[in-house]
Amino acid sequence: MIVARGLVKRFGSFTAVDGIDVEVRPGEAFGFLGPNGAGKSSTMRMIGCVSPPSGGTLRILGMDPRREGPAIRARLGVCPQLDNLDQELTVRENLTTYARFFGISRAVARARALELLEFVQLGERADSKVEPLSGGMKRRLTIARALVNEPDLVLLDEPTTGLDPQARHLVWERLFRLKQQGVTLVLTTHYMDEAEQLCDRLVVMDGGRIAAEGSPRALIERYSTREVVELRFQAESQEEYAGKLTGVAERIEVLPDRILLYVTDGDGALAEVHRRALAPASSLVRRSSLEDVFLHLTGRTLVD
Amino acid sequence: MAHPTAAVLEYHLVSYRRTWRSSALSSFILPLLTMLSFGVGVGAYVRGDVAGVPYLDFIVPGLIASTAMQVAIAESTFPVFGNFEWIKIYFSQVAAPLRIADILGGHLGFVLFRILTSTAAFLVTTALFGAVHSWWALAALPVAALLGLAVAAPTFGYAASVPSDNYLAMLFRFAVIPMSLFAGVFFPVESLPGVLRWLAYVSPLWHGVDLIRAATLGVAPAWSVAGHLAYLATWAVAGWLLATARFRRRLTI
Amino acid sequence: MVTALALPRLLRLPAAGRRAVSVTERNVVALKSSYWVVLISGFFEPVLYLLSIGVGVGKLVGDLTLPGGVVVTYAAFVAPAMLASSAMTGALAETTFNFFGKMKYLKLYEGFIATPVRPFELALGELAWAMVRGSVYSAAFLVVMVAMDLTTAPRALLAFPAAVLVGFAFGGLGMALSTFMRSWQDFDLMGSAQFALFLFSGTFVPPDGYPVAIRWLVEASPLYQAVVLIRGITLGSPGWSQVGATVYLLAATVLGLVVAGRRMTKLLCK
């Protein structure tokens, strides 16, 4: 579906995407993970054929985005990071007018709009204006709009950012159903649970490069341990306890408010902590998640 | 501590510093160009005097009044609507210990500042063209301020009530432009047919035009001065009451 | 060789045209009640100017003698200029203020270009819409002119396509200009420039009286050319200056569209 080799995007002297190789196969859900400014959205815009690459090669659906933009975009569905719905139109009109841009006949556009509004559970709001809709509803409408041309490939830039938990789960469930129908999904996110839920494969981007690539499970196995123990000590500094923990874990990370032990057997490690007569104020044993991988790869420093 | 109304006025003056250049252009250069096009250009084709003076001298006071009106309405339509709908400044002001009268008074004070600076600049320029005949012309400034309030205050109420900015465009189309064209700025209202003439008499602009024309030409106005002033003051007071009611409804529920 | 280059372009044309029309369609769907009133009221503005300046001030001016020796009333002199300026205003309203809002604030076009629609087609579709609006104004104004006996019906019929051309020229130029705008404040400047054009483009007096330098400036302005074209049709006998004006306006249309399409590609397809 998508093949990128040494893909580069520059804005003046700033390099947003710095030579990435990506291959997305038909029918899979592929994720771009990364902190803000990692180059995810720039990559998505290049794949959406609205941003010419500054270097490298990019083939989408077997075509060249530089020369065959309209033909590629005819088979893409795009759900941008910020909803750019048409505020002057109703919910239904947003879908029907958009369908016209793809050369879809009015009758088909009407039928499809009805179908899609049911699919994203907005059937009852069909004739409402866009403005009073909640954030979750707008997002679902944007997703419905991205599906109006029955695309082979759907691009979703942070599909659930800013949504409440109910709305997120509804979006995930709909995206999962799309995937079952054989639609290829490409999404960006910085929610690890989202990536674990939806993606078959993903890449972690940082500073315009790919830091790691694989399935969520494989990434966790490679870059983290099976379990993590979180300890909080009642003390001015967690640091003084860190020294007494040597040998307990494969890797120890000291944070201002807690200590993380990366281990294979969490309960065993916790028993060892208690055996050393270190009494943490609280402790938690959990399975390692993509979040641990992500923070390990991209660091904890805040990027804005 | 400064009076809360003054604090609101100060806010508007501070934010005006960002945009004063482009607004100064439209509120000063445009009337000047209008004066050149009509007063000088068309004036050259006008046969004889109008109301006993050259055409340029006839339309200059009219343009002063119509500038006051246009600045007043421009400053009380989109800015007021935007303060409710777009940047929502009024809501943040009402969250501070300010009364409705402070919010309204401070903003109207700023509109007054805009009217006075625009008309004063225009008055000085026209005096250089020799279109001003008397020291009474200084009285044009307070009249312009009163005229401005007479149209700005009700417009504040209107802008606080309408559901979309399309209604603001309609106010320009159906009130501001007809007034500027038919309320005695470009030609004497006496040449209008019956009903239209009465419509011109009803418009606040005509009262401002008649007073300011009397002032710059140093002659007596067509109506009594007190009558004109009372009429304009009625518009201003009624507008203030309307605006207060509308602001109260929008800002305190 | 030439056919090999031109053929794929020609084949692409129907698809491009269809996509441009779909952009126009969106505007038709977006027409809502309050916007209708604004739209219709736009027609009254030039009529009011005609009545105030043409008739009201006309009483103070009397008749004018045109360079050809023809004597006309002042209203008949002003009317074609009002038609030209209303074609200008109608076209600019859609292609500047509304266009800029849709592009910069509503982010509408970012959604459009994610579809097969290309920026140039988008510009074309928006221009077509502006033309529909402007043409309705022009037709209505010509009816008023004929009713007030300011021109004859056959001349009015000929003036209609001229007014549409004027709309195209200003629509294209307006759209190109909007792509250079940074904020709403820039529109204040543009509004002022537009008003200055309206005042001095041979609209209310022949530019004969102006100093030479200013006269050249006036004669180079698009509105002056528009006024020459339409006044020639509604009042005089059209000649070479009308042909020149037509060429000028056609060139302005093409230039505007090309610049707008390029700039939009640059702004939207970063």
Side-chain angles (χ1 to χ4, degrees), chain A residues 9 11 45 48 50-52 70 73-74 78 84-90 93 97-98 100-103 106 129 145, chain C residues 18-19 22-23 25-26 29-30 32 102 106-108 110-119 121 267-270:
Chain A
K9 182 70 196 182
F11 298 101
R45 284 173 56 81
V50 291
S51 172
R73 290 197 300 268
V78 178
N84 52 16
L85 295 163
D86 197 326
Q87 310 278 344
E88 294 175 68
L89 304 181
T90 65
E93 287 165 350
T97 57
Y98 207 72
R100 298 289 294 155
F101 297 154
F102 291 91
R106 284 190 194 86
K129 284 247 179 197
R145 196 183 66 174
Chain C
R18 182 196 36 77
R19 291 194 290 256
S22 69
V23 173
E25 268 183 57
R26 178 263 160 207
V29 177
K32 292 287 148 66
K102 285 180 194 168
L106 301 178
K107 303 276 178 209
L108 212 52
E110 284 181 19
F112 287 22
I113 59 153
T115 74
V117 175
R118 288 177 297 180
E121 295 152 8
L267 290 175
L268 292 171
C269 304
K270 278 187 288 219

Short mmCIF file of all heavy atoms in Angstrom, two decimals, chain A residues 9 11 45 48 50-52 70 73-74 78 84-90 93 97-98 100-103 106 129 145, chain C residues 18-19 22-23 25-26 29-30 32 102 106-108 110-119 121 267-270:
data_model
loop_
_atom_site.label_atom_id
_atom_site.label_comp_id
_atom_site.label_asym_id
_atom_site.label_seq_id
_atom_site.Cartn_x
_atom_site.Cartn_y
_atom_site.Cartn_z
N LYS A 9 11.40 15.32 4.76
CA LYS A 9 10.62 16.55 4.62
C LYS A 9 11.33 17.67 5.34
O LYS A 9 11.61 17.58 6.54
CB LYS A 9 9.21 16.37 5.21
CG LYS A 9 8.33 17.60 5.05
CD LYS A 9 7.93 17.81 3.61
CE LYS A 9 7.41 19.21 3.35
NZ LYS A 9 6.99 19.39 1.96
N PHE A 11 11.39 21.94 6.05
CA PHE A 11 10.75 23.26 5.96
C PHE A 11 11.85 24.27 6.15
O PHE A 11 12.29 24.50 7.28
CB PHE A 11 9.68 23.42 7.05
CG PHE A 11 8.55 22.45 6.95
CD1 PHE A 11 8.48 21.33 7.76
CD2 PHE A 11 7.54 22.65 6.02
CE1 PHE A 11 7.43 20.43 7.66
CE2 PHE A 11 6.48 21.76 5.90
CZ PHE A 11 6.44 20.64 6.72
N ARG A 45 0.97 13.87 6.13
CA ARG A 45 0.60 14.79 5.05
C ARG A 45 1.26 14.39 3.73
O ARG A 45 0.67 14.56 2.66
CB ARG A 45 0.94 16.23 5.43
CG ARG A 45 -0.04 16.84 6.43
CD ARG A 45 0.40 18.21 6.93
NE ARG A 45 0.63 19.15 5.83
CZ ARG A 45 -0.32 19.82 5.22
NH1 ARG A 45 -1.57 19.68 5.59
NH2 ARG A 45 -0.03 20.66 4.23
N GLY A 48 -0.71 11.61 2.47
CA GLY A 48 -2.00 12.11 1.99
C GLY A 48 -1.88 12.90 0.68
O GLY A 48 -2.87 13.43 0.20
N VAL A 50 -0.67 15.81 0.08
CA VAL A 50 -0.89 17.25 0.12
C VAL A 50 0.40 17.96 0.51
O VAL A 50 0.40 19.15 0.75
CB VAL A 50 -2.02 17.64 1.10
CG1 VAL A 50 -3.35 17.17 0.56
CG2 VAL A 50 -1.77 17.09 2.48
N SER A 51 1.48 17.22 0.56
CA SER A 51 2.76 17.79 0.95
C SER A 51 3.85 17.06 0.18
O SER A 51 4.05 15.87 0.40
CB SER A 51 2.92 17.60 2.47
OG SER A 51 4.21 17.96 2.87
N PRO A 52 4.47 17.75 -0.78
CA PRO A 52 5.47 17.06 -1.59
C PRO A 52 6.71 16.71 -0.77
O PRO A 52 7.20 17.55 -0.03
CB PRO A 52 5.80 18.07 -2.69
CG PRO A 52 5.37 19.40 -2.16
CD PRO A 52 4.29 19.16 -1.17
N PRO A 70 -4.22 13.47 -7.56
CA PRO A 70 -5.68 13.30 -7.55
C PRO A 70 -6.11 11.83 -7.60
O PRO A 70 -7.04 11.43 -6.90
CB PRO A 70 -6.12 14.04 -8.82
CG PRO A 70 -5.07 15.07 -9.03
CD PRO A 70 -3.79 14.43 -8.57
N ARG A 73 -5.48 10.35 -4.14
CA ARG A 73 -6.40 10.90 -3.13
C ARG A 73 -7.82 10.38 -3.33
O ARG A 73 -8.60 10.30 -2.39
CB ARG A 73 -6.37 12.43 -3.16
CG ARG A 73 -5.05 13.00 -2.64
CD ARG A 73 -5.18 14.47 -2.28
NE ARG A 73 -5.56 15.30 -3.42
CZ ARG A 73 -4.71 15.91 -4.24
NH1 ARG A 73 -3.43 15.81 -4.02
NH2 ARG A 73 -5.15 16.63 -5.24
N ALA A 74 -8.16 10.01 -4.59
CA ALA A 74 -9.49 9.45 -4.84
C ALA A 74 -9.70 8.17 -4.06
O ALA A 74 -10.83 7.81 -3.77
CB ALA A 74 -9.65 9.20 -6.34
N VAL A 78 -9.08 10.64 4.67
CA VAL A 78 -8.19 11.35 5.57
C VAL A 78 -8.96 11.94 6.74
O VAL A 78 -9.95 12.65 6.56
CB VAL A 78 -7.45 12.49 4.83
CG1 VAL A 78 -6.57 13.26 5.79
CG2 VAL A 78 -6.62 11.93 3.69
N ASN A 84 -11.66 19.69 10.52
CA ASN A 84 -11.91 20.86 9.66
C ASN A 84 -13.25 20.67 8.96
O ASN A 84 -13.34 20.75 7.76
CB ASN A 84 -10.76 21.10 8.67
CG ASN A 84 -10.41 19.84 7.89
OD1 ASN A 84 -11.18 18.90 7.86
ND2 ASN A 84 -9.27 19.84 7.26
N LEU A 85 -14.27 20.43 9.76
CA LEU A 85 -15.61 20.26 9.21
C LEU A 85 -16.13 21.60 8.73
O LEU A 85 -15.65 22.65 9.13
CB LEU A 85 -16.53 19.69 10.30
CG LEU A 85 -16.15 18.27 10.76
CD1 LEU A 85 -16.83 17.96 12.07
CD2 LEU A 85 -16.54 17.27 9.69
N ASP A 86 -17.14 21.54 7.86
CA ASP A 86 -17.71 22.75 7.30
C ASP A 86 -18.80 23.27 8.24
O ASP A 86 -19.88 22.69 8.33
CB ASP A 86 -18.29 22.42 5.92
CG ASP A 86 -18.54 23.66 5.09
OD1 ASP A 86 -18.89 24.69 5.68
OD2 ASP A 86 -18.36 23.59 3.86
N GLN A 87 -18.48 24.36 8.96
CA GLN A 87 -19.40 24.86 9.99
C GLN A 87 -20.68 25.43 9.40
O GLN A 87 -21.66 25.61 10.10
CB GLN A 87 -18.73 25.96 10.82
CG GLN A 87 -17.37 25.61 11.36
CD GLN A 87 -17.44 24.81 12.63
OE1 GLN A 87 -18.48 24.77 13.28
NE2 GLN A 87 -16.36 24.16 13.00
N GLU A 88 -20.65 25.75 8.12
CA GLU A 88 -21.83 26.37 7.53
C GLU A 88 -22.84 25.33 7.07
O GLU A 88 -23.93 25.67 6.63
CB GLU A 88 -21.43 27.26 6.35
CG GLU A 88 -20.60 28.47 6.78
CD GLU A 88 -20.11 29.26 5.58
OE1 GLU A 88 -20.95 29.86 4.91
OE2 GLU A 88 -18.90 29.27 5.33
N LEU A 89 -22.46 24.06 7.14
CA LEU A 89 -23.35 23.01 6.65
C LEU A 89 -23.84 22.14 7.80
O LEU A 89 -23.28 22.15 8.88
CB LEU A 89 -22.59 22.12 5.65
CG LEU A 89 -21.95 22.79 4.45
CD1 LEU A 89 -21.26 21.75 3.57
CD2 LEU A 89 -22.99 23.55 3.63
N THR A 90 -24.91 21.36 7.52
CA THR A 90 -25.38 20.42 8.52
C THR A 90 -24.50 19.18 8.49
O THR A 90 -23.63 19.03 7.62
CB THR A 90 -26.82 19.98 8.22
OG1 THR A 90 -26.82 19.26 6.99
CG2 THR A 90 -27.76 21.17 8.11
N GLU A 93 -25.05 17.34 5.24
CA GLU A 93 -24.48 18.07 4.09
C GLU A 93 -22.96 17.99 4.07
O GLU A 93 -22.34 18.01 3.00
CB GLU A 93 -24.91 19.54 4.14
CG GLU A 93 -26.37 19.74 3.78
CD GLU A 93 -26.89 21.12 4.17
OE1 GLU A 93 -26.18 21.86 4.88
OE2 GLU A 93 -28.02 21.44 3.76
N THR A 97 -21.71 16.93 0.40
CA THR A 97 -20.91 17.84 -0.43
C THR A 97 -19.49 17.28 -0.59
O THR A 97 -18.89 17.41 -1.65
CB THR A 97 -20.80 19.25 0.15
OG1 THR A 97 -20.26 19.17 1.45
CG2 THR A 97 -22.14 19.94 0.21
N TYR A 98 -18.98 16.65 0.48
CA TYR A 98 -17.62 16.11 0.39
C TYR A 98 -17.57 14.98 -0.63
O TYR A 98 -16.60 14.86 -1.38
CB TYR A 98 -17.19 15.62 1.77
CG TYR A 98 -15.70 15.63 2.00
CD1 TYR A 98 -15.04 16.84 2.17
CD2 TYR A 98 -14.96 14.47 2.05
CE1 TYR A 98 -13.67 16.88 2.39
CE2 TYR A 98 -13.59 14.49 2.28
CZ TYR A 98 -12.96 15.71 2.44
OH TYR A 98 -11.60 15.74 2.65
N ARG A 100 -19.19 14.79 -3.28
CA ARG A 100 -19.18 15.37 -4.62
C ARG A 100 -17.77 15.66 -5.10
O ARG A 100 -17.49 15.64 -6.29
CB ARG A 100 -20.02 16.64 -4.67
CG ARG A 100 -21.48 16.44 -4.34
CD ARG A 100 -22.23 15.69 -5.43
NE ARG A 100 -22.31 16.47 -6.66
CZ ARG A 100 -22.45 15.96 -7.86
NH1 ARG A 100 -22.49 14.65 -8.02
NH2 ARG A 100 -22.54 16.74 -8.92
N PHE A 101 -16.87 15.98 -4.15
CA PHE A 101 -15.48 16.26 -4.54
C PHE A 101 -14.82 15.02 -5.16
O PHE A 101 -13.83 15.11 -5.87
CB PHE A 101 -14.64 16.70 -3.34
CG PHE A 101 -15.11 17.98 -2.72
CD1 PHE A 101 -14.86 18.25 -1.38
CD2 PHE A 101 -15.79 18.94 -3.46
CE1 PHE A 101 -15.28 19.44 -0.81
CE2 PHE A 101 -16.21 20.12 -2.89
CZ PHE A 101 -15.97 20.37 -1.56
N PHE A 102 -15.38 13.85 -4.83
CA PHE A 102 -14.83 12.61 -5.39
C PHE A 102 -15.57 12.20 -6.66
O PHE A 102 -15.34 11.12 -7.19
CB PHE A 102 -14.94 11.48 -4.36
CG PHE A 102 -14.04 11.66 -3.17
CD1 PHE A 102 -14.49 12.33 -2.04
CD2 PHE A 102 -12.74 11.20 -3.19
CE1 PHE A 102 -13.66 12.51 -0.95
CE2 PHE A 102 -11.91 11.37 -2.09
CZ PHE A 102 -12.37 12.03 -0.97
N GLY A 103 -16.50 13.06 -7.10
CA GLY A 103 -17.25 12.73 -8.31
C GLY A 103 -18.33 11.69 -8.07
O GLY A 103 -18.80 11.04 -8.99
N ARG A 106 -25.10 12.39 -6.76
CA ARG A 106 -25.86 12.88 -5.61
C ARG A 106 -26.62 11.75 -4.92
O ARG A 106 -26.68 11.68 -3.70
CB ARG A 106 -26.83 13.97 -6.04
CG ARG A 106 -26.14 15.29 -6.28
CD ARG A 106 -27.13 16.42 -6.48
NE ARG A 106 -26.42 17.56 -7.02
CZ ARG A 106 -26.19 17.74 -8.31
NH1 ARG A 106 -26.69 16.89 -9.18
NH2 ARG A 106 -25.50 18.78 -8.74
N LYS A 129 -26.70 21.29 13.00
CA LYS A 129 -25.50 22.02 12.58
C LYS A 129 -24.28 21.34 13.19
O LYS A 129 -24.41 20.56 14.13
CB LYS A 129 -25.58 23.46 13.09
CG LYS A 129 -26.54 24.31 12.29
CD LYS A 129 -25.73 25.35 11.58
CE LYS A 129 -26.60 26.25 10.74
NZ LYS A 129 -25.82 26.98 9.77
N ARG A 145 -16.70 11.21 7.29
CA ARG A 145 -16.38 11.93 6.06
C ARG A 145 -15.20 11.28 5.34
O ARG A 145 -15.16 11.23 4.11
CB ARG A 145 -16.05 13.39 6.41
CG ARG A 145 -16.07 14.33 5.22
CD ARG A 145 -15.66 15.72 5.62
NE ARG A 145 -14.26 15.76 6.04
CZ ARG A 145 -13.62 16.88 6.34
NH1 ARG A 145 -14.25 18.04 6.29
NH2 ARG A 145 -12.37 16.85 6.72
N ARG C 18 -15.25 19.09 -13.54
CA ARG C 18 -16.26 18.51 -12.66
C ARG C 18 -15.91 18.78 -11.19
O ARG C 18 -16.76 19.14 -10.38
CB ARG C 18 -16.34 17.00 -12.90
CG ARG C 18 -17.39 16.35 -12.07
CD ARG C 18 -17.31 14.84 -11.94
NE ARG C 18 -16.00 14.21 -11.88
CZ ARG C 18 -15.23 14.18 -10.80
NH1 ARG C 18 -15.60 14.82 -9.70
NH2 ARG C 18 -14.09 13.56 -10.81
N ARG C 19 -14.61 18.66 -10.89
CA ARG C 19 -14.20 18.89 -9.50
C ARG C 19 -14.39 20.36 -9.12
O ARG C 19 -14.79 20.67 -8.00
CB ARG C 19 -12.75 18.46 -9.31
CG ARG C 19 -12.58 16.93 -9.40
CD ARG C 19 -11.25 16.50 -8.87
NE ARG C 19 -10.14 16.90 -9.72
CZ ARG C 19 -9.48 16.08 -10.54
NH1 ARG C 19 -9.81 14.80 -10.59
NH2 ARG C 19 -8.49 16.52 -11.27
N SER C 22 -17.91 20.89 -8.29
CA SER C 22 -18.30 20.36 -6.98
C SER C 22 -17.97 21.35 -5.86
O SER C 22 -18.65 21.38 -4.83
CB SER C 22 -17.64 19.00 -6.72
OG SER C 22 -16.25 19.15 -6.55
N VAL C 23 -16.93 22.17 -6.07
CA VAL C 23 -16.61 23.21 -5.09
C VAL C 23 -17.70 24.28 -5.10
O VAL C 23 -18.15 24.76 -4.05
CB VAL C 23 -15.23 23.84 -5.38
CG1 VAL C 23 -14.96 25.01 -4.47
CG2 VAL C 23 -14.13 22.79 -5.24
N GLU C 25 -20.77 23.82 -5.96
CA GLU C 25 -21.97 23.20 -5.36
C GLU C 25 -22.00 23.35 -3.86
O GLU C 25 -23.05 23.59 -3.27
CB GLU C 25 -21.96 21.70 -5.67
CG GLU C 25 -22.69 21.31 -6.92
CD GLU C 25 -22.67 19.80 -7.08
OE1 GLU C 25 -23.13 19.09 -6.17
OE2 GLU C 25 -22.16 19.36 -8.10
N ARG C 26 -20.82 23.19 -3.26
CA ARG C 26 -20.75 23.31 -1.80
C ARG C 26 -21.29 24.68 -1.34
O ARG C 26 -22.00 24.78 -0.35
CB ARG C 26 -19.30 23.12 -1.35
CG ARG C 26 -19.06 23.27 0.12
CD ARG C 26 -18.57 24.65 0.46
NE ARG C 26 -18.78 24.97 1.86
CZ ARG C 26 -18.94 26.19 2.30
NH1 ARG C 26 -18.93 27.21 1.47
NH2 ARG C 26 -19.13 26.44 3.57
N VAL C 29 -25.08 24.75 -1.42
CA VAL C 29 -25.66 24.05 -0.28
C VAL C 29 -25.54 24.90 0.99
O VAL C 29 -26.41 24.89 1.85
CB VAL C 29 -24.94 22.69 -0.07
CG1 VAL C 29 -25.48 21.98 1.16
CG2 VAL C 29 -25.13 21.81 -1.30
N ALA C 30 -24.45 25.67 1.08
CA ALA C 30 -24.21 26.45 2.29
C ALA C 30 -25.09 27.69 2.40
O ALA C 30 -25.10 28.36 3.43
CB ALA C 30 -22.74 26.86 2.37
N LYS C 32 -27.75 29.93 3.43
CA LYS C 32 -28.74 29.81 4.49
C LYS C 32 -29.48 31.13 4.60
O LYS C 32 -29.08 32.14 4.04
CB LYS C 32 -28.06 29.47 5.83
CG LYS C 32 -27.46 28.07 5.86
CD LYS C 32 -28.52 26.98 5.97
CE LYS C 32 -28.12 25.69 5.26
NZ LYS C 32 -26.99 24.99 5.85
N LYS C 102 -12.42 31.17 4.73
CA LYS C 102 -12.52 29.73 4.51
C LYS C 102 -11.15 29.08 4.53
O LYS C 102 -10.97 27.98 4.99
CB LYS C 102 -13.17 29.45 3.15
CG LYS C 102 -14.66 29.69 3.11
CD LYS C 102 -15.12 29.36 1.70
CE LYS C 102 -16.52 29.87 1.43
NZ LYS C 102 -16.81 29.77 -0.02
N LEU C 106 -11.47 28.87 8.83
CA LEU C 106 -12.32 27.68 8.89
C LEU C 106 -11.52 26.43 8.51
O LEU C 106 -11.97 25.33 8.72
CB LEU C 106 -13.52 27.85 7.96
CG LEU C 106 -14.42 29.04 8.27
CD1 LEU C 106 -15.54 29.14 7.25
CD2 LEU C 106 -15.00 28.92 9.66
N LYS C 107 -10.34 26.61 7.94
CA LYS C 107 -9.49 25.49 7.50
C LYS C 107 -10.27 24.57 6.56
O LYS C 107 -10.03 23.37 6.50
CB LYS C 107 -9.01 24.67 8.71
CG LYS C 107 -8.24 25.47 9.73
CD LYS C 107 -6.79 25.59 9.34
CE LYS C 107 -6.02 26.43 10.34
NZ LYS C 107 -4.92 27.13 9.78
N LEU C 108 -11.22 25.17 5.86
CA LEU C 108 -12.10 24.39 5.00
C LEU C 108 -11.33 23.72 3.87
O LEU C 108 -11.55 22.57 3.54
CB LEU C 108 -13.13 25.36 4.41
CG LEU C 108 -14.51 24.84 4.13
CD1 LEU C 108 -15.08 24.15 5.34
CD2 LEU C 108 -15.40 25.98 3.71
N GLU C 110 -8.32 22.74 3.66
CA GLU C 110 -7.46 21.60 3.98
C GLU C 110 -8.23 20.31 3.82
O GLU C 110 -7.68 19.29 3.41
CB GLU C 110 -6.93 21.74 5.41
CG GLU C 110 -5.82 22.76 5.46
CD GLU C 110 -5.24 22.92 6.84
OE1 GLU C 110 -5.43 22.03 7.69
OE2 GLU C 110 -4.60 23.96 7.07
N GLY C 111 -9.53 20.36 4.15
CA GLY C 111 -10.37 19.20 3.92
C GLY C 111 -10.58 18.96 2.43
O GLY C 111 -10.57 17.81 1.97
N PHE C 112 -10.74 20.03 1.68
CA PHE C 112 -11.01 19.89 0.24
C PHE C 112 -9.84 19.23 -0.48
O PHE C 112 -10.02 18.38 -1.33
CB PHE C 112 -11.23 21.27 -0.41
CG PHE C 112 -12.55 21.91 -0.07
CD1 PHE C 112 -13.26 21.55 1.07
CD2 PHE C 112 -13.09 22.90 -0.88
CE1 PHE C 112 -14.46 22.16 1.39
CE2 PHE C 112 -14.29 23.50 -0.58
CZ PHE C 112 -14.97 23.14 0.56
N ILE C 113 -8.62 19.67 -0.14
CA ILE C 113 -7.48 19.19 -0.94
C ILE C 113 -7.07 17.79 -0.54
O ILE C 113 -6.22 17.20 -1.20
CB ILE C 113 -6.26 20.14 -0.89
CG1 ILE C 113 -5.81 20.30 0.55
CG2 ILE C 113 -6.54 21.46 -1.56
CD1 ILE C 113 -4.34 20.62 0.63
N ALA C 114 -7.66 17.23 0.52
CA ALA C 114 -7.40 15.83 0.85
C ALA C 114 -8.15 14.93 -0.13
O ALA C 114 -7.97 13.73 -0.14
CB ALA C 114 -7.81 15.53 2.28
N THR C 115 -9.03 15.52 -0.94
CA THR C 115 -9.78 14.77 -1.95
C THR C 115 -9.08 14.97 -3.30
O THR C 115 -8.09 15.70 -3.37
CB THR C 115 -11.22 15.31 -2.04
OG1 THR C 115 -11.18 16.56 -2.70
CG2 THR C 115 -11.83 15.48 -0.66
N PRO C 116 -9.59 14.38 -4.37
CA PRO C 116 -8.92 14.60 -5.67
C PRO C 116 -8.91 16.06 -6.13
O PRO C 116 -8.20 16.40 -7.09
CB PRO C 116 -9.75 13.73 -6.63
CG PRO C 116 -10.33 12.67 -5.77
CD PRO C 116 -10.60 13.31 -4.45
N VAL C 117 -9.68 16.95 -5.49
CA VAL C 117 -9.72 18.35 -5.91
C VAL C 117 -8.34 18.99 -5.73
O VAL C 117 -7.73 18.86 -4.67
CB VAL C 117 -10.75 19.13 -5.08
CG1 VAL C 117 -10.70 20.61 -5.42
CG2 VAL C 117 -12.15 18.58 -5.32
N ARG C 118 -7.86 19.67 -6.79
CA ARG C 118 -6.56 20.34 -6.71
C ARG C 118 -6.75 21.83 -6.46
O ARG C 118 -7.80 22.37 -6.79
CB ARG C 118 -5.77 20.12 -8.00
CG ARG C 118 -5.25 18.69 -8.13
CD ARG C 118 -4.56 18.47 -9.43
NE ARG C 118 -5.48 18.65 -10.56
CZ ARG C 118 -5.11 18.50 -11.83
NH1 ARG C 118 -3.87 18.24 -12.13
NH2 ARG C 118 -6.00 18.66 -12.78
N PRO C 119 -5.73 22.49 -5.88
CA PRO C 119 -5.89 23.90 -5.55
C PRO C 119 -6.39 24.77 -6.70
O PRO C 119 -7.24 25.63 -6.51
CB PRO C 119 -4.49 24.31 -5.11
CG PRO C 119 -3.92 23.06 -4.54
CD PRO C 119 -4.47 21.95 -5.38
N GLU C 121 -8.28 23.92 -9.19
CA GLU C 121 -9.70 23.63 -9.41
C GLU C 121 -10.55 24.28 -8.33
O GLU C 121 -11.66 24.77 -8.59
CB GLU C 121 -9.92 22.12 -9.41
CG GLU C 121 -9.23 21.43 -10.58
CD GLU C 121 -8.85 19.99 -10.29
OE1 GLU C 121 -9.25 19.44 -9.24
OE2 GLU C 121 -8.15 19.42 -11.12
N LEU C 267 0.59 27.44 -0.28
CA LEU C 267 0.10 27.61 1.09
C LEU C 267 -0.50 26.33 1.65
O LEU C 267 -0.35 26.02 2.82
CB LEU C 267 -0.95 28.72 1.14
CG LEU C 267 -0.45 30.13 0.91
CD1 LEU C 267 -1.61 31.11 0.86
CD2 LEU C 267 0.51 30.53 2.01
N LEU C 268 -1.23 25.60 0.80
CA LEU C 268 -1.96 24.44 1.30
C LEU C 268 -1.13 23.17 1.25
O LEU C 268 -1.26 22.30 2.10
CB LEU C 268 -3.25 24.24 0.49
CG LEU C 268 -4.32 25.30 0.67
CD1 LEU C 268 -5.44 25.11 -0.34
CD2 LEU C 268 -4.89 25.27 2.07
N CYS C 269 -0.29 23.04 0.22
CA CYS C 269 0.49 21.81 0.07
C CYS C 269 1.91 22.04 0.55
O CYS C 269 2.85 21.98 -0.23
CB CYS C 269 0.48 21.34 -1.38
SG CYS C 269 -1.18 21.11 -2.00
N LYS C 270 2.04 22.36 1.83
CA LYS C 270 3.36 22.63 2.38
C LYS C 270 4.15 21.34 2.53
O LYS C 270 3.59 20.32 2.85
CB LYS C 270 3.23 23.30 3.75
CG LYS C 270 3.00 24.78 3.63
CD LYS C 270 3.04 25.43 5.01
CE LYS C 270 1.82 25.06 5.80
NZ LYS C 270 1.22 26.04 6.60
#
